[in-house]
Amino acid sequence: MFWRSIMYVPGNTPSMIQSSMIYGADAIVLDLEDSVEENEKDSARNLVSYALKMLDFSGTDVFVRTNSVDSKHFLKDLAAVADTCIYGIRVPKVQKAEEIIYIDQSITKIEKELGLPAGKIKFMVSIESALGVLNIKEICLASQRLIGIAFGAEDFTYDMSIKRTKEGKELAFARSVLALTARACGKIAIDCVFSDTKDSEGLKKDCETAKSFGMTGKSVIHPGQVEAVNELFSPSVQEVDQARRVIEQYEKLGCPGVFSFEGNMVDLPVLKKYQRIYELYGRDKGE
């Protein structure tokens, strides 16, 4: 389970849904929340449900962003997509552990009603407020179904009454806390969107910043951002090759606790980093 790019797709636009799986995103999120006006919620929900049952999304993990748990739409959204090909749902604007428990219980209930395997539907949540940031640890530990935490910068900066900038210095603390806590609790950490779809250099810098905090991937809002995000959240070809050679040296030496590789000491923590790189990017590609 690893996603570098997670692309939002408006749930009320048939043409975008139909082509969403061709752009190379590791996962897509069919959106029933922000991109859908209130008077279009019902029709978008029906469209997304139909698309998930009729289109071939094989090769791409699919999430549906529901409306928030305190809205009248959440349970309807969940019911409409539960028995489809989704990997899970993505719930916005979560602020406390009680909401996580409610989400988990709601999914458990509908799995039983539909005769689905227990635990089939996973979920991610978005942290978009000061209270949410302060409660991240409790949120992460509230459900085993919860696989990841995503950061929503626009709502966070609104909640904090601060201006969002391209440099993102105002987001540093929240990003760091989110990534650190998610990793400590065994969850993935997904960074916020970069809204200027024409600024490729700004996107690159933003990805590098997010990656330095420990984010594992990034939400994107435009197909043109996918390739760059995938590349920036992946190690280079040279890094993958080095990981392979380190592992080969480790095995050749009989798996010692510490060994030397090209003049550098490799102990267990360093070895694990190389093993992770190779597992994610080398072995699956036949290298």
Side-chain angles (χ1 to χ4, degrees):
M1 179 188 66
F2 185 80
W3 301 289
R4 299 160 299 177
S5 58
I6 302 182
M7 185 176 73
Y8 282 117
V9 180
N12 58 351
T13 310
S15 60
M16 295 183 72
I17 295 174
Q18 192 168 12
S19 63
S20 60
M21 67 289 289
I22 71 173
Y23 296 107
D26 291 338
I28 61 173
V29 178
L30 304 182
D31 184 29
L32 296 175
E33 193 217 10
D34 281 349
S35 64
V36 179
E37 297 291 336
E38 182 65 28
N39 62 357
E40 296 181 359
K41 296 289 187 184
D42 291 340
S43 59
R45 184 185 304 116
N46 292 335
L47 172 61
V48 166
S49 178
Y50 179 79
L52 288 168
K53 294 172 182 175
M54 300 302 295
L55 298 179
D56 181 9
F57 289 94
S58 58
T60 303
D61 291 325
V62 183
F63 290 83
V64 170
R65 179 162 73 167
T66 67
N67 289 275
S68 59
V69 295
D70 60 356
S71 76
K72 64 181 181 180
H73 300 291
F74 173 71
L75 292 178
K76 294 179 183 178
D77 294 342
L78 175 59
V81 302
D83 194 13
T84 65
C85 66
I86 59 168
Y87 190 98
I89 61 173
R90 181 159 166 172
V91 185
K93 298 178 174 62
V94 167
Q95 300 193 86
K96 49 191 177 181
E98 288 80 1
E99 293 171 281
I100 300 297
I101 295 170
Y102 175 74
I103 295 166
D104 191 311
Q105 291 174 340
S106 299
I107 295 174
T108 298
K109 182 174 183 291
I110 202 162
E111 282 179 343
K112 290 180 179 178
E113 292 174 350
L114 296 175
L116 300 174
K120 174 184 180 294
I121 303 172
K122 309 298 183 183
F123 70 98
M124 299 175 61
V125 298
S126 294
I127 302 298
E128 307 177 48
S129 67
L131 181 59
V133 171
L134 290 178
N135 288 334
I136 288 178
K137 181 179 178 181
E138 291 75 14
I139 287 169
C140 284
L141 296 176
S143 169
Q144 292 185 346
R145 286 185 192 269
L146 178 67
I147 57 175
I149 305 289
F151 182 46
E154 295 297 342
D155 282 284
F156 175 77
T157 51
Y158 172 79
D159 188 51
M160 291 290 292
S161 298
I162 56 178
K163 181 180 179 180
R164 185 179 180 187
T165 65
K166 284 191 178 182
E167 293 75 18
K169 293 181 180 179
E170 69 283 354
L171 305 176
F173 178 78
R175 277 168 144 174
S176 180
V177 169
L178 189 149
L180 179 68
T181 310
R183 291 294 192 103
C185 296
K187 315 296 182 181
I188 63 172
I190 302 298
D191 192 43
C192 53
V193 301
F194 185 77
S195 56
D196 189 342
T197 59
K198 297 181 180 180
D199 186 358
S200 57
E201 187 61 31
L203 174 64
K204 177 181 178 181
K205 291 179 180 178
D206 199 50
C207 287
E208 290 171 346
T209 297
K211 191 173 179 180
S212 73
F213 285 130
M215 295 290 189
T216 56
K218 192 170 185 66
S219 299
V220 300
I221 55 173
H222 191 277
Q225 296 177 318
V226 170
E227 183 178 357
V229 170
N230 283 348
E231 179 180 348
L232 290 162
F233 275 93
S234 302
S236 66
V237 173
Q238 292 78 13
E239 289 174 310
V240 175
D241 181 65
Q242 184 177 30
R244 175 185 58 78
R245 290 186 291 113
V246 168
I247 294 169
E248 288 177 351
Q249 177 78 346
Y250 170 70
E251 294 174 348
K252 180 180 179 180
L253 295 173
C255 305
V258 180
F259 63 100
S260 177
F261 176 78
E262 297 182 351
N264 296 310
M265 185 191 76
V266 178
D267 58 9
L268 185 58
V270 174
L271 177 66
K272 285 182 176 179
K273 291 179 184 179
Y274 285 120
Q275 288 174 327
R276 175 183 292 174
I277 290 173
Y278 189 60
E279 285 291 332
L280 291 173
Y281 302 100
R283 184 165 297 171
D284 290 343
K285 297 178 182 178
E287 297 182 1

